[in-house]
Amino acid sequence: MKKFLPMLLMTAAMLFVCASCGDDDEPNVPPTQTLESLYLEETDAHFTFDIDLDKDSSSIYLYNVIFTIGEQHSPAMNIRIDAPVTVDKTGKVFTYAGTDIVPYLLGGMTPRPMPSFIVTNLTCTVNTKDKTYSMFFNCHGGEFSDSGKLK
């Protein structure tokens, strides 16, 4: 009986040690988050990155963007691009990527799909650790790229 108690305590201690071991390398990434780019005026081009890892796609909202096609410029537009998003192993860098995406024109109460403005070659990286973003895509015969800081 004298040996039974120390053996029981040793077994319990081993169970606690083993229970505390695990994969601590897994980042704790919130499944949804909304991040915004820095901007000075409401009329400046700015972006909202709506990340939802539980859905097939997440959204990038682009406000007051102007596309350059040759020497011509489009009027300022507000659009939404829905694309799949992935997160790196640190849980800090999110990447939107896709091609042949129908964007939505934002105006009024209902977003309107714009199939004549197909988005191709979308690559957008949002780094929550460094608080930066970079984005590139082709659309409507032109291209759009921007990078900057997050709020």
Side-chain angles (χ1 to χ4, degrees), residues 85-102:
V85 69
T86 57
V87 62
D88 74 344
K89 64 181 181 176
T90 68
K92 302 293 183 191
V93 180
F94 297 87
T95 303
Y96 294 82
T99 196
D100 297 328
I101 301 167
V102 175

Side-chain angles (χ1 to χ4, degrees), residues 23-46:
D23 191 2
D24 294 337
D25 294 337
E26 288 291 321
N28 185 14
V29 180
T32 61
Q33 49 187 312
T34 301
L35 305 160
E36 292 184 64
S37 65
L38 280 176
Y39 59 96
L40 298 175
E41 302 288 329
E42 192 65 34
T43 55
D44 292 342
H46 57 281

Side-chain angles (χ1 to χ4, degrees), residues 20-148:
S20 67
C21 293
D23 191 2
D24 294 337
D25 294 337
E26 288 291 321
N28 185 14
V29 180
T32 61
Q33 49 187 312
T34 301
L35 305 160
E36 292 184 64
S37 65
L38 280 176
Y39 59 96
L40 298 175
E41 302 288 329
E42 192 65 34
T43 55
D44 292 342
H46 57 281
F47 316 100
T48 299
F49 305 97
D50 189 11
I51 298 168
D52 190 341
L53 297 173
D54 291 335
K55 293 185 178 179
D56 290 339
S57 66
S58 294
S59 300
I60 304 170
Y61 292 86
L62 299 93
Y63 300 101
N64 304 315
V65 294
I66 298 173
F67 294 95
T68 302
I69 304 166
E71 293 185 18
Q72 296 183 342
H73 302 285
S74 73
M77 293 187 269
N78 299 332
I79 62 175
R80 182 186 86 206
I81 301 172
D82 298 333
V85 69
T86 57
V87 62
D88 74 344
K89 64 181 181 176
T90 68
K92 302 293 183 191
V93 180
F94 297 87
T95 303
Y96 294 82
T99 196
D100 297 328
I101 301 167
V102 175
Y104 290 83
L105 184 63
L106 304 175
M109 298 300 288
T110 305
R112 292 189 329 237
M114 300 299 292
S116 61
F117 285 81
I118 296 294
V119 171
T120 58
N121 305 317
L122 170 68
T123 303
C124 177
T125 304
V126 180
N127 187 322
T128 58
K129 181 180 179 191
D130 296 341
K131 293 197 167 272
T132 60
Y133 70 90
S134 65
M135 174 179 357
F136 174 86
F137 60 89
N138 298 104
C139 182
H140 198 58
E143 63 181 43
F144 180 83
S145 66
D146 194 69
S147 60

Side-chain angles (χ1 to χ4, degrees), residues 10-25:
M10 181 85 69
T11 303
M14 291 292 281
L15 287 174
F16 283 118
V17 168
C18 291
S20 67
C21 293
D23 191 2
D24 294 337
D25 294 337

